[in-house]
């Protein structure tokens, strides 16, 4: 097992890019390799050690044996864990854009907030965010229609708009509240939101499941109430209590399922 610790010395006004610093690429690196490395910042590169003190302990023969610990404010560090396939990354602070994007395996733990596009186009592994996320978590990227299709994202705080946009697989769990249009264009997969949702989850949804355990502010007209089910099994998971089951978005002949806690959403019953 090898532990690589980044202790931040200073921040940058322009975001550093960490997509090359993933366990798959650096598992064989020693301290001297990090001291030689030039990190991308905008259109230039600068010594990584201008920004971090780096400690390397132990040895590894594969990416699975790597633990990266990032201490400090990473609010100006993009692409942490992008395309990683194995290993573990722990960030003790906030992170910038694209954390865990296109991730294939391994695990990332963020002990802070995450900027936009966390877990976008994710294929596997687990991304856990202890704080809040901004918009487009687990989504597709600009101009594409393929969002997250595997793995698990867990958000312990609140999520921004268009959570799981174009979701085609995998699971997203939100312990807090969620903004508008969760699961828009969703074709498969599972989203569970334990807090309140402002409005319009599942817009243009074709398939998959969205569970809302809090109160929904406004439901889209494209969802039809099908039944009230007690203790349903949803996506292989058992839920206790009564849930209102809706199907939609009928504007696209969608067969997606939206499940609302009946007690919290009496105002939507008819």
């Amino acid at each position: 097992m090898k532990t690589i610790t980044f202790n931040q010395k200073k921040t940058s006004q322009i975001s550093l890019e960490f997509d090359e610093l993933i366990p798959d690429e650096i598992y064989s690196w020693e301290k001297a390799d990090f001291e030689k490395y030039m990190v991308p910042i905008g259109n230039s590169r600068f010594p990584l050690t201008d920004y971090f003190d780096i400690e390397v302990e132990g040895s590894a023969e594969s990416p699975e044996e790597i633990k990266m610990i990032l201490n400090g404010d990473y609010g100006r560090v993009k692409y942490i864990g992008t395309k990683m396939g194995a290993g573990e990354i722990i960030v003790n602070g906030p992170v910038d854009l694209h954390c865990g994007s296109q991730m294939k395996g391994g695990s990332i733990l963020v002990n802070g907030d995450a900027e936009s596009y966390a877990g976008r186009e994710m294929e596997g592994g687990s991304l856990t965010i202890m704080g809040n996320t901004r918009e487009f978590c687990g989504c597709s990227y600009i101009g594409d229609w393929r969002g997250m299709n595997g793995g698990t994202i867990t958000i312990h705080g609140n999520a921004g708009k268009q959570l799981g946009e174009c979701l085609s697989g995998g699971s997203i769990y939100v312990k807090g509240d969620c903004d508008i249009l969760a699961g828009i264009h969703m074709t498969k997969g599972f989203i569970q939101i334990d807090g309140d949702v402002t409005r319009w989850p599942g817009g243009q949804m074709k398939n998959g499941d969205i569970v809302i355990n809090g109160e929904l502010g406004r439901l889209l007209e494209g969802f039809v109430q099908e039944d009230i089910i007690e203790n349903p099994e949803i996506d292989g998971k058992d839920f206790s209590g009564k849930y209102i089951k809706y199907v939609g978005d009928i504007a696209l002949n969608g067969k997606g399922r939206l499940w609302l806690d009946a007690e919290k959403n009496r105002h939507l019953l008819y």
Side-chain angles (χ1 to χ4, degrees), residues 31-67:
K31 189 175 178 66
D33 296 297
F34 291 102
E35 290 172 346
K36 292 186 296 185
Y37 179 73
M38 306 289 281
V39 64
I41 304 176
N43 294 324
S44 302
R45 286 179 177 257
F46 296 88
L48 181 67
T49 51
D50 284 357
Y51 297 90
F52 305 97
D53 286 322
I54 300 166
E55 302 171 4
V56 180
E57 297 177 305
S59 61
E61 296 183 357
S62 68
E64 288 82 2
E65 299 174 351
I66 292 293
K67 177 188 283 189

Side-chain angles (χ1 to χ4, degrees), residues 41 46 65 74 95 99 103 105 111 117 121 130 144 182 190 208 226 234 266:
I41 304 176
F46 296 88
E65 299 174 351
Y74 287 75
V95 296
C99 179
M103 183 179 179
N111 288 310
Y117 293 106
E121 302 172 288
M130 300 306 295
D144 204 347
F190 177 80
E226 185 175 87
I234 307 168
R266 292 180 182 178

Side-chain angles (χ1 to χ4, degrees), residues 85-182:
E88 179 181 5
I89 297 177
I90 299 172
V91 186
N92 293 314
V95 296
D96 202 352
L97 298 163
H98 306 292
C99 179
S101 59
Q102 299 174 284
M103 183 179 179
K104 296 176 175 62
S107 67
I108 300 175
L109 170 63
V110 178
N111 288 310
D113 296 336
E115 259 289 350
S116 305
Y117 293 106
R120 70 165 172 85
E121 302 172 288
M122 187 170 165
E123 298 178 25
S126 66
L127 170 61
T128 302
I129 298 164
M130 300 306 295
N132 304 318
T133 61
R134 290 177 65 89
E135 59 271 7
F136 308 124
C137 178
C139 72
S140 65
Y141 198 41
I142 298 167
D144 204 347
W145 56 268
R146 292 162 294 190
M148 174 181 176
N149 61 58
T152 302
I153 297 175
T154 304
I155 302 160
H156 285 260
N158 302 322
K161 66 182 180 181
Q162 293 183 231
L163 172 80
E165 178 250 4
C166 291
L167 186 73
S168 59
S171 300
I172 302 177
Y173 300 88
V174 180
K175 306 297 184 182
D177 300 333
C178 188
D179 206 341
I180 64 172
L181 294 170

Side-chain angles (χ1 to χ4, degrees), residues 137-138 160-167 172 178-188 190-191 193 200-207 209-210 220 223 249:
C137 178
K161 66 182 180 181
Q162 293 183 231
L163 172 80
E165 178 250 4
C166 291
L167 186 73
I172 302 177
C178 188
D179 206 341
I180 64 172
L181 294 170
I184 184 173
H185 304 304
M186 180 174 172
T187 59
K188 196 178 177 182
F190 177 80
I191 297 175
I193 302 164
W200 305 325
Q204 299 185 332
M205 179 182 187
K206 292 184 178 178
N207 215 322
D209 291 279
I210 301 175
L220 276 168
F223 281 85
D249 186 336

